[in-house]
Structure formats: C-alpha cells, structure tokens
Amino acid sequence: MTPVLAPAVSVPLLDLRKQYATIREEILRATADVYESQHFILGPRVEAFEKAVAAFVGTKHAIGMSSGTDAQLAVMMALGVGPGDDVVTSPYSFFSTAGAVARLGARPVFVDIEPETFNLDAARLEKAITPKTKLIQPVHLYGQCADMDPIREIAGRKGIPVLEDACQSLGAGYKGARAGALGESAAFSFFPSKNLGGFGDGGMVTTSDGELAAILRAMRMHGETSRYHHKFVGGNFRLDALQAAILHVKLPHLDGWARARRRNAAEIENLYLAAGGRAYEEGGLRFPREAAGREHVFNQFVVRVGKGRRDALKKYLESRQIGSAIYYPVPLHLQECFASLGGRPGDCPEAERAANETLAVPVFPELTGEQKATLASTLSEFSRQA
Ligand SMILES: *Cc1c(COP(=O)(O)O)cnc(C)c1O
C-alpha cells in the first residue's frame, strides 16, 4: 500500500459557509419575511437596501440592478453610449468592463495599468482621449481604488463623465471618500465572491446625479417612465427583493469583514517574511501595497511571483490543498472576441506582465490562525526552492 501522508490543513480560496454560519439566524428571518410578503420584484426591501448603500458609499442615490454587468450596461445605455463612441478603460479587469461597451456597439479603448496597483495609469489617460471618447471607466481592482484625482481632473477638463467599475471595491477608501462616490456614477456587483456577496446575482449603481438616477430607474424597467409607457429601450435589470433582504443583513458587517481581510493580508506577509520567504527578484513574492491615501479592502489578495514561476506556484499550492486563482490570465485587449479591434501583444505591457505573474491567494475574513500559518509557510517554502 502507498503510504498516506497525514492530511495537511487545507486552505480554500474562499469558504462562504463559514461566513453564513455567523449570520444564519438573521438571514433566515429576513428571507422568511420576504416569503411571507410574496413581494419579490423591487418594492420596500429593495428601496431600504438602496438607501443603506447610498448612505454607506456617500451618494444621493443608489439603484439596485440585476448584476454588476447590468449596472455597467444600464449606465452606458443611460448615457447613450453606442456605435461610433469610444469608452476608455483598463485592459486588466473582469470581462464585463469591456464586454458591456462592445455589447452596445461602442469601442473599448485600453489604457495600460500601473504595476503597483494594477489600476488604469492616469499618466497615460490623456493621450487616449479623442473627440469620440464618450465615457471613462476606471476599475478599482481587487479592492483598491484607482488614482481618481488625476482621472477626474482630465475628465472634467475634457467634459467626459466617469463611471467607476467598483464591482470589487465596495467600502474601499480614497482620500476620505469611498469607492462609488468618486465619479459621476459607479457600478457594484453582489456576485457571491465579492466582499458583499448575495445568494445569487445582484448589482447596484450609485450616483449623486438625480436626473441620471431617474433614467436608470427607467432603464431597469425596459425604459418605462409610467406603467407601459416607454420613453427608452431599456432591459430587465432589476434587483430581487430576496437578494436585497439578504444583502441588507450583511451590509452592517462589511467594514468588520474588510478589517479582517486587511489584518489577514498583513499577517500572512509578516509570517512569510519571518519564515525566510524570498523577494520577487529572487523568484519569490511581491505582496500588494496600498497606494497613498487609499484604503484597500482586499476582495482579492494578489501577489506577484518572480522569475516566471507563477504557474509553478499555483500547482505547488494545489498539491498542498491550498486554493488560488489567476485574475486574469488574458488581458482584455488580447481576448479573441476583440481581435477585430486590432489589439497586439506589447500594446499594454504592464497588463500583459501582470497576467503572467499574478496569483490570488486566500485572505477571506474567517481564515483560522492555523490556515494563515500553513499558507505563509507553504508560500515561503516554495520561494526558497527558486
Ligand atoms: C464581478 C465584476 C464585474 C461584474 O459583476 P457581475 O455581478 O458578475 O456581473 C465587473 N467588473 C469587475 C471588476 C468585477 O470584478
């Protein structure tokens, strides 16, 4: 018989059952309420949750949507983004950042990222703007805000609105304000793996522009402005009452969960260094840094792996029952569906380098001390084999 090694402590990338266990009774009460009401589409629970999100983010309005993607789409539809328009955005993001643009017949124009934050490099933004630019859509990737001051300065001077893709960054801070209150509008996602995750899909737009908010409320109802009177062609982009009830239970916990994520990230890095973990230059790891004036909420804890060893680290972790994931292996300008846009390797070198070097490792709030120690020592062990 093959000897079986004692099972090590396994560390999943995310374990939502642990979070659920801490709020189970509250969730069951809130959902039972919805079942009793038999009111499932929009209504008072959605409105109450919208008010709570607007207050949390610091905007006048929040409009519940069926997903983060639909939130992006609805804003672009409300602004009239369409054929002949350009939307300047980041090449290093989840697909919908560019997919929503392309679905409306507009063209995504990619501006390379900063290597430190993985976010759109504001220093390269102005060159990408032309008379066709209808919208600027920076992404707050992994839980850290893009450098919004210079982005807003350029956008303001050119008279172009800014839509924040804040899908990964509810609660993230930028110079005393929060993600979602930094542009004309912002899109959030409640996909289960986001820091505020629903029990299914969900999304939200935040804005302080009352006119835009009214159009968005129509857009999510097929452009309806009064019953069966359609001023626009919209879609069915509504947030369910059931999701709103669940998310409203979770919202007061969000800042505490973000603090736990921040503590975990710092602790894992310290344990790695204490265990003799090597630097990126030696084939080890570079840990994420919080840029000046920003508060990172670590939706993902993404390290860079030196000397082309990223895929090897992923396999190494897998063999030791430690979860990890690559966000994202192919930058958007090199996606097959955008071939007609003419993107070439070398167009966005920092995004391409990040796609080859980054790996997300566990950071979720409920990680145990033993799991953090196992993760850090395994990472360090790998780095010392370089
Ligand atoms: C999750 C995500 C989206 C899309 O949100 P969905 O709710 O999955 O549609 C958009 N942009 C980014 C950066 C995301 O992480």
Side-chain angles (χ1 to χ4, degrees):
M1 257 179 73
T2 340
V4 179
L5 294 171
V9 181
S10 76
V11 192
L13 184 60
L14 179 63
D15 186 351
L16 289 170
R17 287 166 308 180
K18 278 198 173 172
Q19 184 191 76
Y20 177 58
T22 67
I23 52 175
R24 190 166 180 276
E25 296 312 314
E26 281 178 277
I27 297 269
L28 290 177
R29 262 198 308 279
T31 50
D33 247 26
V34 179
Y35 300 146
E36 292 308 318
S37 78
Q38 289 291 300
H39 192 142
F40 298 116
I41 307 294
L42 299 179
R45 284 170 190 82
V46 171
E47 282 166 30
F49 178 58
E50 288 174 339
K51 283 205 175 71
V53 170
F56 179 89
V57 166
T59 54
K60 289 192 184 137
H61 310 278
I63 304 98
M65 295 283 171
S66 36
S67 69
T69 303
D70 290 344
Q72 292 173 292
L73 200 57
V75 168
M76 291 180 201
M77 289 167 78
L79 296 174
V81 171
D85 295 331
D86 285 355
V87 175
V88 176
T89 193
S90 168
Y92 191 59
S93 180
F94 178 66
F95 178 73
S96 73
T97 299
V101 177
R103 249 181 87 181
L104 295 174
R107 187 173 70 132
V109 171
F110 300 107
V111 169
D112 205 4
I113 57 168
E114 307 168 327
E116 297 304 321
T117 65
F118 305 106
N119 287 325
L120 189 150
D121 186 348
R124 299 170 195 265
L125 174 59
E126 189 149 2
K127 278 206 305 273
I129 293 174
T130 72
K132 288 182 161 184
T133 310
K134 184 93 172 180
L135 178 67
I136 299 169
Q137 183 190 209
V139 181
H140 305 320
L141 201 69
Y142 302 146
Q144 173 157 241
C145 288
D147 195 5
M148 292 301 289
D149 274 354
I151 293 172
R152 279 189 301 202
E153 189 277 318
I154 295 164
R157 194 152 37 76
K158 304 269 183 185
I160 302 166
V162 174
L163 162 64
E164 303 164 64
D165 179 343
C167 287
Q168 297 184 4
S169 295
L170 184 59
Y174 183 81
K175 301 185 181 177
R178 271 184 158 166
L182 307 169
E184 274 68 34
S185 61
F188 289 101
S189 167
F190 306 122
F191 183 80
S193 68
K194 305 295 158 97
N195 283 15
L196 185 67
F199 287 13
D201 281 306
M204 186 77 75
V205 177
T206 55
T207 181
S208 287
D209 179 337
E211 199 178 324
L212 179 63
I215 298 173
L216 288 167
R217 288 183 193 283
M219 277 300 168
R220 71 178 173 183
M221 293 276 284
H222 291 290
E224 187 182 87
T225 41
S226 65
R227 200 78 185 117
Y228 301 128
H229 289 74
H230 299 262
K231 187 166 174 180
F232 318 104
V233 177
N236 177 354
F237 300 144
R238 295 176 298 242
L239 179 65
D240 287 346
L242 210 45
Q243 295 304 333
I246 291 164
L247 292 162
H248 206 159
V249 166
K250 286 190 167 194
L251 183 62
H253 298 279
L254 185 60
D255 282 335
W257 288 332
R259 281 193 295 275
R261 285 172 180 272
R262 291 167 59 81
R263 272 199 306 273
N264 287 347
E267 198 180 326
I268 292 160
E269 180 177 354
N270 288 337
L271 288 169
Y272 174 87
L273 295 174
R278 298 215 173 126
Y280 165 87
E281 290 73 14
E282 304 168 274
L285 305 185
R286 178 172 298 152
F287 285 85
R289 285 285 160 262
E290 206 168 51
R294 272 164 266 193
E295 190 160 324
H296 200 316
V297 292
F298 289 98
N299 176 240
Q300 299 295 345
F301 182 35
V302 174
V303 297
R304 262 188 205 272
V305 191
K307 293 197 170 165
R309 302 205 320 140
R310 190 269 311 272
D311 294 345
L313 174 58
K314 188 164 193 308
K315 282 211 185 76
Y316 191 83
L317 294 175
E318 240 163 58
S319 73
R320 283 154 180 81
Q321 288 155 62
I322 296 176
S324 67
I326 299 169
Y327 301 116
Y328 298 91
V330 181
L332 296 173
H333 66 290
L334 300 179
Q335 289 291 345
E336 189 177 345
C337 63
F338 295 140
S340 64
L341 298 177
R344 293 271 177 280
D347 287 353
C348 298
E350 287 301 341
E352 292 163 33
R353 192 160 72 87
N356 288 324
E357 291 186 345
T358 59
L359 191 66
V361 296
V363 76
F364 64 90
E366 300 82 10
L367 279 175
T368 65
E370 203 180 19
Q371 286 177 317
K372 284 180 262 190
T374 301
L375 171 59
S377 66
T378 309
L379 290 171
S380 148
E381 208 174 270
F382 172 84
S383 80
R384 282 179 278 115
Q385 292 171 11

